[in-house]
Amino acid sequence: MGVQESEPLDVERIREDFPILERRVGGDVESPGEGDGDDTPLIYLDNAATSQTPDQVVDVIADYYRSYNSNVHRGIHSLSQEASVAYEQAHDRVADFVNADGREEVVFTKNTTEAENLVAYAWGLAELGPGDEVVLTEMEHHASLVTWQQIGKRTGADVKYVRVDDEGRLDVDHARELITDDTEMVSVVHVSNTLGTINPVEEIADVAHDHGAYVFVDGAQSVPNRPVDVKAMDADFLAFSGHKMCGPTGIGVLYGKREILEEMQPYLYGGDMIRKVTFEDATWEELPWKFEAGTPNIAQGIALAAACDYLDDLGMDRVETHENQLAAYAYDRLTEHDDVTVYGPPGDERGGLVAFNVDGVHAHDLSSILNDSGIAIRAGDHCTQPLHDKLGTAASARASFYVYNTREEVDALVEAVDEARQLFA
Amino acid sequence: MGMGSDMYRQQILDHYKNPRNHGELEDPTFTHTGENPTCGDTIQVDVRLEDDGDTIEYVAFSGDGCAISQAAASLLTEELPGKTLEELQAMDRDDMIDMLGVDISPMRIKCAVLAEKVAQDGAKIHTGEIEIETTKTE
């Protein structure tokens, strides 16, 4: 990459790639951009929900629609060839981003959730039955938790949950107890979207493989934020979403080991995924197209490759360091007050997000008040309701950081939290 | 000053911190609960009717959640006594917003109307119009 790992991100320059960060907000939500209220510079700290999109990626989308918009694969004409080549090469680019062995191992989906469902339906429904076990963690996102829970109900397979300890870490000893020869699938979130915990997925994969089980890694909060290498972690499946990593919405990725994907039957049937069709039967296209039925999100797929270029130019090692420093700083500043509970492990052990609550101030009230200072955070259960039940709260506030965020923005967050505290005192 | 602070004018904070008619009635004519799953707000509304079986005599509420949902419930307990069940059913979200006296952002309307909806559904169950376990606003 030609970048010194120790050299920090040039955030000031990066911010120039994101004109949306110049927006002013905080006013009447029914007429954004108008009226007296819209006088506050945006401080965007909701990146774990969706990241902003740099001009370089927006330009790729615009260029597609302006220059070579066309359906892929079946066309002989020039535009279709251009679109097909760009769309197919995007798979290669994404494969390279996570160190997969080429486009055959990279299926474009709508998002992480669809990638989870693809494996749950195509593999789970076919392979699971009574006596089989699926092991999840208590910190799974609903995308994985609800999906396997329902597949368990349909197939008779048991679903078990690896404990989260009091400090928000995965209880790996408990994982070793739960994962047995009856286990067929272990689905584990790489970085918790609520606790910020970075889970030892390599270790979990080893345990799963020792018992002949597959491991599915939910990379929605890790692939955007740190170098992820599917070979190093030996994941059988990895899922992530484009819109959390400088890409557009509507595009996600299922990585799967080639030999496993080849054995799996399609999840969606229709156009683009077939080789030969008769009135009696059909055969399937090669990987990955076998799993991409119908006209795909072409511009979004091509743009995701551009997002990979953008992030690799920054250097994922440096992205990881930047995020971690902001999260650690936010953790330290927020916990200066005894009435703030920050969920999950200490700052130096977490991904780029901090979920917290302030005594006596509901997370939704906090978010409304922070919005007045132009600060966008998320408040709610973050699609981890069972984990929130365990934490003893219905909702939490979550600030999450990305490549363009600064320490000054963390300071503004802490200051606005102080104002909310005073309002409710 | 944007909507955030406006939404938390003194009245709402006062009702949130010092809720009126908070608790449960010993002899309610009907009682009903509801939740707003996205915020995790929960509200129980207890209503006692006068001897005519139609006029609301007293209302109490319990539950927890965000300031908007709890202040709305508190305000409602002061608003409802004297109204008939028909008048209760005629209330809509604008009545609730008027009572709160502030603009409520679209994402928070469900918090504001939870108590009103719980009271209305409770009354409908009481009169046999509907059969539901709990009320949800989403």
Side-chain angles (χ1 to χ4, degrees), chain A residues 10-25:
Chain A
D10 185 351
V11 174
E12 204 173 323
R13 200 208 56 71
I14 289 170
R15 289 179 73 90
E16 291 173 6
D17 296 332
F18 296 85
I20 198 170
L21 299 176
E22 299 298 315
R23 258 208 62 174
R24 287 170 181 269
V25 293

Side-chain angles (χ1 to χ4, degrees), chain B residues 54-71:
Chain B
D54 189 42
T55 309
I56 294 168
E57 183 184 359
Y58 196 80
V59 182
F61 86 100
S62 54
D64 61 351
C66 69
I68 306 293
S69 70
Q70 303 302 305

Side-chain angles (χ1 to χ4, degrees), chain A residues 26-30 37 39 360-362 364-366 368-369 371-372 379-381 385 394-395 422-425, chain B residues 1-8 13 16-17 37-41 65-68 93 104-106 108 110-111:
Chain A
D28 184 353
V29 285
E30 287 186 332
D39 54 2
V361 187
H362 190 282
H364 283 94
D365 295 324
L366 187 63
S368 287
I369 293 162
N371 185 52
D372 218 32
D381 59 43
Q385 281 181 18
Q422 284 159 21
L423 199 59
F424 277 79
Chain B
M1 181 77 72
M3 182 176 280
S5 297
D6 279 356
M7 213 158 77
Y8 296 90
L13 288 172
Y16 177 58
K17 293 175 193 171
T38 49
C39 277
D41 304 326
C66 69
I68 306 293
R93 76 177 209 178
I104 300 293
S105 65
R108 306 299 301 279
K110 56 192 182 301
C111 313

Side-chain angles (χ1 to χ4, degrees), chain A residues 60-116:
Chain A
V60 165
I61 298 169
D63 183 50
Y64 169 81
Y65 282 111
R66 291 197 172 117
S67 312
Y68 61 105
N69 174 35
S70 181
N71 210 332
V72 291
H73 292 154
R74 287 171 302 279
I76 307 296
H77 60 81
S78 295
L79 295 192
S80 181
Q81 286 187 42
E82 286 175 32
S84 297
V85 167
Y87 182 70
E88 290 174 12
Q89 285 178 347
H91 289 68
D92 298 330
R93 181 65 189 88
V94 172
D96 185 52
F97 192 71
V98 294
N99 197 29
D101 278 335
R103 65 179 66 173
E104 294 80 4
E105 296 193 323
V106 171
V107 178
F108 282 178
T109 62
K110 184 170 65 179
N111 47 32
T112 302
T113 298
E114 190 182 61
E116 294 267 7

Side-chain angles (χ1 to χ4, degrees), chain A residues 1 49 60 108 138 142 161 183 292-293:
Chain A
M1 274 172 255
V60 165
F108 282 178
E138 289 181 337
H142 293 166
Y161 298 93
T183 307
E292 294 190 13

